[in-house]
Amino acid sequence: ALNWLKEIAPTAVLFHNHPSRKVSLVKKNVSQMKGWMDINDLVIGMSGAPGHQIGGKRGIGAYSYHHTTVDRWDPAVALIGNAWDILLANGQDVWAARAASDFHKFKAKNAADYWPGQFSETWLYAPDNSEAGILKALRAGSFFAAHGHIVRKVQLEVMADGLERPAQAGEIIAVPAGKEISVSLTMNIPGTDWQGVENRIDRVEIIQINEGGGANILAAGNPLGGKFATNLVMGDSGIVLRARGIREMPDEPSLKFYTNPIRLRLP
């Protein structure tokens, strides 16, 4: 099917939708994604957050088999060191900072879904608003996603000596071992959220994935003025950096945003 689709729509991009909704083990997504990506370049990522965020009888995203969402996000993405990070550690450039509405026909009696953009958002840094521009941004990993309208203009950037400009989400750079790296996460934080309630971001996290395996929170803190920054020294193997932000919600799942990763390789 993927080879057939490549023939008729060579510029298409595909995402693995609600990846952990019907698997017994979340890490099964690793072999599934690798299998598809080994066929051709059409499959580029996973839907980090499922649609159907209102919940209903089967819960958020209709995750009612073995797994539930983690603060509204699929555990393959939300659990540090799980499927997304394993794929990144193994050299697969997978984009999962995607929050779709997965909107179905509106049912007035039970209001099954939020309208597109009402709650879940995926923001693209596209060269233009044409179909080609949108597909280009998706393929490049140049996008982030959030719930509840808690952020705008999120940018994860990495700067190192020798770069003409900071690297951004979706990009790959070469950094020699022992070189210091500056990492920054910037964002606009609206004064109110999607419901008009006073808004804030309580915590942001820079997540480091090591080439070959292992992931951890490199740095965390409050994004004062919409910015958080940290430094690290390039080690003897490549690393991948991604980020997320959290607004704690009493008595309900937190609202979060996620960025796509930046890959740092040795020359």
Side-chain angles (χ1 to χ4, degrees):
L2 286 174
N3 286 330
W4 169 81
L5 186 59
K6 182 70 174 179
E7 291 180 5
I8 65 169
T11 63
V13 296
L14 303 178
F15 286 87
H16 183 16
N17 203 18
H18 37 67
S20 301
R21 192 164 80 178
K22 294 184 179 180
V23 296
S24 56
L25 294 173
V26 175
K27 290 183 179 179
K28 283 188 176 181
N29 287 294
V30 174
S31 58
Q32 288 181 329
M33 287 293 297
K34 186 178 186 306
W36 294 325
M37 297 179 83
D38 284 349
I39 294 172
N40 56 40
D41 64 354
L42 293 188
V43 177
I44 63 169
M46 301 183 286
S47 287
H52 315 309
Q53 287 284 327
I54 282 180
K57 292 181 179 179
R58 294 193 294 164
I60 291 172
Y63 276 51
S64 58
Y65 186 50
H66 280 290
H67 307 286
T68 59
T69 55
V70 179
D71 286 330
R72 300 182 175 276
W73 289 75
D74 191 287
V77 170
L79 298 179
I80 294 174
N82 213 293
W84 190 16
D85 292 339
I86 292 171
L87 287 160
L88 294 172
N90 291 338
Q92 302 276 167
D93 290 320
V94 175
W95 316 137
R98 180 173 183 262
S101 66
D102 199 7
F103 184 78
H104 292 197
K105 184 178 180 181
F106 191 77
K107 299 176 182 179
K109 291 184 178 180
N110 59 13
D113 297 334
Y114 291 121
W115 289 95
Q118 181 183 2
F119 178 77
S120 301
E121 298 178 306
T122 303
W123 288 82
L124 282 69
Y125 291 102
D128 54 63
N129 64 355
S130 67
E131 290 182 5
I134 291 169
L135 289 173
K136 185 176 181 180
L138 288 170
R139 183 166 294 282
S142 184
F143 56 95
F144 71 92
H147 284 146
H149 299 193
I150 58 173
V151 284
R152 296 286 186 271
K153 297 183 178 180
V154 176
Q155 279 280 23
L156 174 65
E157 296 185 327
V158 170
M159 191 64 190
D161 288 343
L163 294 182
E164 295 182 357
R165 61 165 178 82
Q168 298 177 340
E171 296 187 318
I172 302 171
I173 58 174
V175 181
K179 288 291 186 179
E180 187 173 50
I181 302 159
S182 299
V183 185
S184 66
L185 182 65
T186 59
M187 70 210 73
N188 287 354
I189 305 173
T192 56
D193 66 9
W194 70 296
Q195 292 179 309
V197 175
E198 185 176 359
N199 184 45
R200 67 190 184 280
I201 298 295
D202 295 310
R203 175 185 171 91
V204 295
E205 299 173 342
I206 307 296
I207 299 165
Q208 175 178 323
I209 302 98
N210 300 312
E211 187 178 273
N216 62 279
I217 296 175
L218 171 68
N222 187 286
L224 298 174
K227 184 172 183 178
F228 180 79
T230 190
N231 297 319
L232 73 152
V233 175
M234 188 69 174
D236 296 328
S237 61
I239 60 173
V240 182
L241 299 172
R242 63 183 181 95
R244 66 184 178 189
I246 305 159
R247 175 179 150 188
E248 302 291 348
M249 298 288 290
D251 304 320
E252 60 182 296
S254 298
L255 298 175
K256 290 184 176 179
F257 71 83
Y258 279 78
T259 77
N260 280 317
I262 300 172
R263 185 176 295 276
L264 289 72
R265 289 178 172 161
L266 294 172

